[in-house]
Amino acid sequence: MTEINEIFSSVVMPLHNGQKYLNEAIQSVLNQTYANFEFLIIENCSNDLSVEIVKSYNDPRIRLIVEENCGQVQAYNRGFREAKGEIIFIHDHDDISHSQRFEKQLSKILSTNSDICGSNFNIISDKGNIIAKIELPLSDIEIKEELLFKNFTVFNSSVAIKKKVLEELKYFDIYYFPSADYEFYLRAISNYIFTNIPEILYSWRKHNAQISQKKKLATSQLTIDLSKTYQKKYLDKELNLFLGLTYYYNNKFLKSIY
């Protein structure tokens, strides 16, 4: 059986004006219990001290890549293309990975032969205080059922994904920004295995400067449109009704209405 430390992985971190939280994010990656990875930081048209902060680290695993075609999706895709690892860990520049995240996700992928592995996560404030603890569905079938109705049953920022999946699906589609990650995971429903780890391995920082907050309305509307499109593809009306009744009788009223 393959040992975890025998697997070479890549960490992809898009970076745009991240100086406020960047040190904490980088340190959480470098402090992982699993260490056999390259750390690709994709500089994406910053005008603050982000680049200087990255260059202050003397760790051979860090590779700074400048992406001049500005945009979050462009930065993700540049990192995915440049990555040399078999597994890619996604990490945002303002968030925190818990020290065993990479080790546990690799172990889960190996033991379940899954292709995409996320985890439960904390939502934290700009000061790092815990606002909420988010629990996600765990099994492949549960994740896929809920993925048709909402956009974070596998949480993009906490994901470990096989590079071959990204290559086969042609990466994120810029047309669907700011919900390109959601559209990608919907495309993956047919042929790939999802799983989530029932532990909090990631802390997602919520603050006013992030794209998900700046483009909240656009994200919400595009998410609904994508959800409806893929529901038509994978569900018939009778099954939709059945799922709605199931959610209703399990006291998930708002979800049953949707």
mmCIF file of all heavy atoms in Angstrom, residues 28-51:
data_model
loop_
_atom_site.group_PDB
_atom_site.id
_atom_site.type_symbol
_atom_site.label_atom_id
_atom_site.label_comp_id
_atom_site.label_asym_id
_atom_site.label_seq_id
_atom_site.Cartn_x
_atom_site.Cartn_y
_atom_site.Cartn_z
ATOM 1 N N SER A 28 0.331 28.372 7.996
ATOM 2 C CA SER A 28 -0.507 27.197 8.240
ATOM 3 C C SER A 28 -0.232 26.097 7.213
ATOM 4 O O SER A 28 -0.415 24.909 7.502
ATOM 5 C CB SER A 28 -1.990 27.573 8.220
ATOM 6 O OG SER A 28 -2.482 27.786 6.915
ATOM 7 N N VAL A 29 0.221 26.478 6.022
ATOM 8 C CA VAL A 29 0.611 25.496 5.009
ATOM 9 C C VAL A 29 1.980 24.897 5.341
ATOM 10 O O VAL A 29 2.172 23.677 5.310
ATOM 11 C CB VAL A 29 0.632 26.135 3.602
ATOM 12 C CG1 VAL A 29 1.221 25.168 2.576
ATOM 13 C CG2 VAL A 29 -0.778 26.548 3.186
ATOM 14 N N LEU A 30 2.920 25.734 5.681
ATOM 15 C CA LEU A 30 4.284 25.259 5.955
ATOM 16 C C LEU A 30 4.357 24.404 7.218
ATOM 17 O O LEU A 30 5.280 23.593 7.369
ATOM 18 C CB LEU A 30 5.232 26.454 6.089
ATOM 19 C CG LEU A 30 5.368 27.354 4.847
ATOM 20 C CD1 LEU A 30 6.351 28.481 5.123
ATOM 21 C CD2 LEU A 30 5.789 26.544 3.624
ATOM 22 N N ASN A 31 3.404 24.561 8.119
ATOM 23 C CA ASN A 31 3.410 23.827 9.394
ATOM 24 C C ASN A 31 2.661 22.492 9.335
ATOM 25 O O ASN A 31 2.411 21.880 10.378
ATOM 26 C CB ASN A 31 2.815 24.685 10.505
ATOM 27 C CG ASN A 31 3.722 25.836 10.896
ATOM 28 O OD1 ASN A 31 4.905 25.835 10.586
ATOM 29 N ND2 ASN A 31 3.165 26.831 11.573
ATOM 30 N N GLN A 32 2.320 22.025 8.146
ATOM 31 C CA GLN A 32 1.581 20.769 8.025
ATOM 32 C C GLN A 32 2.427 19.571 8.480
ATOM 33 O O GLN A 32 3.645 19.551 8.311
ATOM 34 C CB GLN A 32 1.154 20.554 6.570
ATOM 35 C CG GLN A 32 0.093 21.517 6.079
ATOM 36 C CD GLN A 32 -1.253 21.298 6.745
ATOM 37 O OE1 GLN A 32 -1.767 20.178 6.797
ATOM 38 N NE2 GLN A 32 -1.813 22.379 7.269
ATOM 39 N N THR A 33 1.755 18.565 9.030
ATOM 40 C CA THR A 33 2.448 17.349 9.441
ATOM 41 C C THR A 33 2.928 16.538 8.241
ATOM 42 O O THR A 33 3.878 15.760 8.349
ATOM 43 C CB THR A 33 1.532 16.468 10.307
ATOM 44 O OG1 THR A 33 0.300 16.232 9.602
ATOM 45 C CG2 THR A 33 1.224 17.143 11.636
ATOM 46 N N TYR A 34 2.276 16.682 7.109
ATOM 47 C CA TYR A 34 2.712 16.101 5.845
ATOM 48 C C TYR A 34 3.490 17.180 5.092
ATOM 49 O O TYR A 34 3.032 18.332 4.997
ATOM 50 C CB TYR A 34 1.497 15.637 5.037
ATOM 51 C CG TYR A 34 1.733 15.481 3.554
ATOM 52 C CD1 TYR A 34 2.252 14.295 3.027
ATOM 53 C CD2 TYR A 34 1.422 16.507 2.666
ATOM 54 C CE1 TYR A 34 2.465 14.155 1.661
ATOM 55 C CE2 TYR A 34 1.621 16.373 1.302
ATOM 56 C CZ TYR A 34 2.130 15.196 0.806
ATOM 57 O OH TYR A 34 2.343 15.059 -0.545
ATOM 58 N N ALA A 35 4.642 16.847 4.560
ATOM 59 C CA ALA A 35 5.532 17.891 4.034
ATOM 60 C C ALA A 35 5.976 17.693 2.585
ATOM 61 O O ALA A 35 6.681 18.544 2.041
ATOM 62 C CB ALA A 35 6.776 17.991 4.911
ATOM 63 N N ASN A 36 5.557 16.615 1.931
ATOM 64 C CA ASN A 36 6.052 16.317 0.588
ATOM 65 C C ASN A 36 5.209 17.030 -0.474
ATOM 66 O O ASN A 36 4.476 16.409 -1.250
ATOM 67 C CB ASN A 36 6.044 14.800 0.348
ATOM 68 C CG ASN A 36 6.752 14.419 -0.943
ATOM 69 O OD1 ASN A 36 7.555 15.180 -1.484
ATOM 70 N ND2 ASN A 36 6.450 13.223 -1.438
ATOM 71 N N PHE A 37 5.324 18.348 -0.495
ATOM 72 C CA PHE A 37 4.534 19.131 -1.442
ATOM 73 C C PHE A 37 5.321 20.336 -1.942
ATOM 74 O O PHE A 37 6.286 20.779 -1.316
ATOM 75 C CB PHE A 37 3.221 19.605 -0.806
ATOM 76 C CG PHE A 37 3.378 20.482 0.408
ATOM 77 C CD1 PHE A 37 3.625 21.847 0.292
ATOM 78 C CD2 PHE A 37 3.260 19.950 1.695
ATOM 79 C CE1 PHE A 37 3.760 22.659 1.409
ATOM 80 C CE2 PHE A 37 3.392 20.750 2.813
ATOM 81 C CZ PHE A 37 3.643 22.116 2.674
ATOM 82 N N GLU A 38 4.879 20.837 -3.087
ATOM 83 C CA GLU A 38 5.303 22.142 -3.568
ATOM 84 C C GLU A 38 4.178 23.129 -3.256
ATOM 85 O O GLU A 38 3.003 22.747 -3.213
ATOM 86 C CB GLU A 38 5.575 22.113 -5.077
ATOM 87 C CG GLU A 38 4.356 21.712 -5.903
ATOM 88 C CD GLU A 38 4.584 21.837 -7.397
ATOM 89 O OE1 GLU A 38 5.672 22.276 -7.814
ATOM 90 O OE2 GLU A 38 3.641 21.486 -8.156
ATOM 91 N N PHE A 39 4.556 24.386 -3.049
ATOM 92 C CA PHE A 39 3.583 25.397 -2.622
ATOM 93 C C PHE A 39 3.567 26.489 -3.684
ATOM 94 O O PHE A 39 4.455 27.330 -3.736
ATOM 95 C CB PHE A 39 4.003 25.932 -1.253
ATOM 96 C CG PHE A 39 3.037 26.883 -0.609
ATOM 97 C CD1 PHE A 39 1.799 27.176 -1.160
ATOM 98 C CD2 PHE A 39 3.375 27.499 0.592
ATOM 99 C CE1 PHE A 39 0.923 28.049 -0.549
ATOM 100 C CE2 PHE A 39 2.510 28.378 1.224
ATOM 101 C CZ PHE A 39 1.284 28.656 0.653
ATOM 102 N N LEU A 40 2.549 26.439 -4.550
ATOM 103 C CA LEU A 40 2.433 27.394 -5.643
ATOM 104 C C LEU A 40 1.564 28.576 -5.200
ATOM 105 O O LEU A 40 0.371 28.402 -4.902
ATOM 106 C CB LEU A 40 1.805 26.738 -6.872
ATOM 107 C CG LEU A 40 2.718 25.915 -7.786
ATOM 108 C CD1 LEU A 40 3.407 24.799 -7.030
ATOM 109 C CD2 LEU A 40 1.932 25.349 -8.963
ATOM 110 N N ILE A 41 2.176 29.739 -5.132
ATOM 111 C CA ILE A 41 1.438 30.961 -4.809
ATOM 112 C C ILE A 41 1.313 31.757 -6.103
ATOM 113 O O ILE A 41 2.317 32.163 -6.693
ATOM 114 C CB ILE A 41 2.150 31.768 -3.716
ATOM 115 C CG1 ILE A 41 2.287 30.914 -2.445
ATOM 116 C CG2 ILE A 41 1.389 33.060 -3.425
ATOM 117 C CD1 ILE A 41 3.026 31.597 -1.303
ATOM 118 N N ILE A 42 0.076 31.952 -6.549
ATOM 119 C CA ILE A 42 -0.178 32.570 -7.847
ATOM 120 C C ILE A 42 -0.495 34.043 -7.629
ATOM 121 O O ILE A 42 -1.601 34.422 -7.261
ATOM 122 C CB ILE A 42 -1.345 31.887 -8.587
ATOM 123 C CG1 ILE A 42 -1.245 30.360 -8.475
ATOM 124 C CG2 ILE A 42 -1.381 32.349 -10.032
ATOM 125 C CD1 ILE A 42 0.030 29.766 -9.013
ATOM 126 N N GLU A 43 0.508 34.893 -7.818
ATOM 127 C CA GLU A 43 0.350 36.330 -7.652
ATOM 128 C C GLU A 43 -0.530 36.874 -8.774
ATOM 129 O O GLU A 43 -0.249 36.715 -9.958
ATOM 130 C CB GLU A 43 1.723 36.974 -7.634
ATOM 131 C CG GLU A 43 1.899 38.444 -7.738
ATOM 132 C CD GLU A 43 0.773 39.371 -7.391
ATOM 133 O OE1 GLU A 43 0.119 39.178 -6.361
ATOM 134 O OE2 GLU A 43 0.543 40.308 -8.154
ATOM 135 N N ASN A 44 -1.616 37.530 -8.382
ATOM 136 C CA ASN A 44 -2.668 37.884 -9.325
ATOM 137 C C ASN A 44 -2.980 39.382 -9.252
ATOM 138 O O ASN A 44 -3.998 39.793 -8.710
ATOM 139 C CB ASN A 44 -3.907 37.030 -9.005
ATOM 140 C CG ASN A 44 -5.025 37.199 -10.001
ATOM 141 O OD1 ASN A 44 -6.167 37.319 -9.609
ATOM 142 N ND2 ASN A 44 -4.715 37.201 -11.279
ATOM 143 N N CYS A 45 -2.031 40.183 -9.765
ATOM 144 C CA CYS A 45 -2.253 41.629 -9.938
ATOM 145 C C CYS A 45 -2.455 42.368 -8.611
ATOM 146 O O CYS A 45 -3.313 43.262 -8.508
ATOM 147 C CB CYS A 45 -3.432 41.882 -10.869
ATOM 148 S SG CYS A 45 -3.262 41.064 -12.481
ATOM 149 N N SER A 46 -1.658 42.039 -7.612
ATOM 150 C CA SER A 46 -1.725 42.743 -6.323
ATOM 151 C C SER A 46 -1.055 44.109 -6.438
ATOM 152 O O SER A 46 -0.116 44.303 -7.213
ATOM 153 C CB SER A 46 -1.022 41.931 -5.227
ATOM 154 O OG SER A 46 -1.667 40.699 -5.018
ATOM 155 N N ASN A 47 -1.534 45.039 -5.616
ATOM 156 C CA ASN A 47 -0.878 46.351 -5.531
ATOM 157 C C ASN A 47 -0.558 46.715 -4.086
ATOM 158 O O ASN A 47 -0.472 47.881 -3.723
ATOM 159 C CB ASN A 47 -1.727 47.446 -6.196
ATOM 160 C CG ASN A 47 -3.150 47.483 -5.663
ATOM 161 O OD1 ASN A 47 -3.410 47.057 -4.539
ATOM 162 N ND2 ASN A 47 -4.073 47.988 -6.468
ATOM 163 N N ASP A 48 -0.398 45.684 -3.262
ATOM 164 C CA ASP A 48 0.000 45.900 -1.870
ATOM 165 C C ASP A 48 1.348 45.203 -1.650
ATOM 166 O O ASP A 48 2.124 45.035 -2.577
ATOM 167 C CB ASP A 48 -1.087 45.390 -0.906
ATOM 168 C CG ASP A 48 -1.316 43.883 -1.001
ATOM 169 O OD1 ASP A 48 -0.657 43.227 -1.850
ATOM 170 O OD2 ASP A 48 -2.132 43.352 -0.236
ATOM 171 N N LEU A 49 1.630 44.783 -0.437
ATOM 172 C CA LEU A 49 2.929 44.186 -0.113
ATOM 173 C C LEU A 49 2.924 42.651 -0.189
ATOM 174 O O LEU A 49 3.815 41.999 0.347
ATOM 175 C CB LEU A 49 3.360 44.625 1.290
ATOM 176 C CG LEU A 49 3.591 46.131 1.474
ATOM 177 C CD1 LEU A 49 3.915 46.438 2.931
ATOM 178 C CD2 LEU A 49 4.701 46.627 0.560
ATOM 179 N N SER A 50 1.944 42.087 -0.869
ATOM 180 C CA SER A 50 1.817 40.627 -0.922
ATOM 181 C C SER A 50 3.072 39.946 -1.448
ATOM 182 O O SER A 50 3.559 38.962 -0.868
ATOM 183 C CB SER A 50 0.619 40.237 -1.795
ATOM 184 O OG SER A 50 -0.593 40.619 -1.196
ATOM 185 N N VAL A 51 3.610 40.428 -2.554
ATOM 186 C CA VAL A 51 4.779 39.792 -3.160
ATOM 187 C C VAL A 51 5.974 39.854 -2.224
ATOM 188 O O VAL A 51 6.719 38.869 -2.070
ATOM 189 C CB VAL A 51 5.113 40.445 -4.513
ATOM 190 C CG1 VAL A 51 6.451 39.929 -5.052
ATOM 191 C CG2 VAL A 51 4.003 40.168 -5.524
#
